[in-house]
Amino acid sequence: MSSPSQRMGRRRKKTQKRRILFFTLFLPLLLVLFTGAGYGAFLYKKAETVLSESYMNDGREKSDLRDADVHPLEDNISILFMGIDDNLRRNYGDNTRTDALILATLNVEDKTIKMVSIPRDTYTYIPEEDDYNRINHAHVVGGPTATIEAVEELLDVPVDYYVRMNFYAFVDVVDAINGIQYDVPYDFKVKDSSDVHYTEVEKGLQTLNGQEALALVRTRKVDSDIERGLRQQEVLQAIAKKAMSINSITKYDEILEAVGSNMRTDMTFSEMKSLIDYGKNDEVLDFDSITLAGTDDFLPSGAYVWQLDETELEVVKGKLQRHLDIPVTANDEEEESDWEDNTYETE
């Protein structure tokens, strides 16, 4: 029988072939699109058409953890971003796992955003299955709704909206803004979006194109899932900053084309427009990045899972509940722990 370390090595080798980050481009996209809409009615109409076509009503009127409906203009809200492992050998649909999950909470008063990266192998209770499993399996058994229920069960906060996106949008948006600048921490080589060819990236500060940025956020060759999650959020912020600085109607049009059929959301066009208030030019957009501490573990079957630190999980729950201004149910007295938030600002 192989040892846990041997199984861990095989697992890392396998997942590096398929691990793809489908990032939370949604908010930066909105900031760009609605700013760009000032170029004329044509672009605004196209934005309305594209984003409206991305709307998918899953029949869920509001979170079971909410007493009343919420609206981005008036209330603190949360958005769950789901990245789908969708490559050329797979069909886009609900029978695929989520490759990345990030829950963002937005505070309407101080215009701050907290983002929690949820490792795909997090071992937690899946209500749809009435059993414990890796959280990325929830989408297999019940699509966005099952994933939302699993995240609410895990973090004890309402999920008001979701955005589901595949990697094509990520690559195309980065290319549309002529790449992003990033200080790559080490040399690495991973498969590109075709899952056949490879992309090589060298260490150092440089401008990354879409495929290179995707390679950066999917690799964990040297570091861990925690470091990978933080790197993913840094890349998101680099995209947001670059996207909000562009000044070309052609680029706005390219970003719209990149979204196309690559995104699904239960936010209406009107609700999306409300989020533009978080990115006004005269304000600083704060991203507070949170990780979920835990340890590598194996089930009796030999399957790898990420076991969360229950004490640290309570800390995260409390932070999110306070940010949404809802009753704090978490026992988070250990808030001043070693697992501090990582806060970044984009101007």
Side-chain angles (χ1 to χ4, degrees), residues 182-215:
Y182 194 87
D183 192 1
V184 180
Y186 47 75
D187 297 340
F188 64 90
K189 175 182 177 181
V190 296
K191 284 190 175 180
D192 62 15
S193 59
S194 71
D195 207 25
V196 176
H197 305 294
Y198 284 87
T199 297
E200 295 186 50
V201 182
E202 296 181 352
K203 178 180 178 180
L205 181 64
Q206 58 196 287
T207 298
L208 304 175
N209 63 27
Q211 290 289 355
E212 292 167 338
L214 180 65

Side-chain angles (χ1 to χ4, degrees), residues 15 19 83-85 94-101 118-124 126 129 133-143 147 150 304:
T15 54
R19 296 275 285 186
I84 304 300
D85 187 4
D94 289 348
N95 61 341
T96 183
R97 293 178 175 85
T98 49
D99 190 69
L101 286 173
I118 306 173
R120 58 170 285 171
D121 294 317
T122 297
Y123 192 61
T124 187
I126 309 295
E129 294 186 290
N133 206 332
R134 287 179 289 199
I135 198 164
N136 68 345
H137 191 69
H139 199 270
V140 176
V141 297
T147 303
Y304 169 84

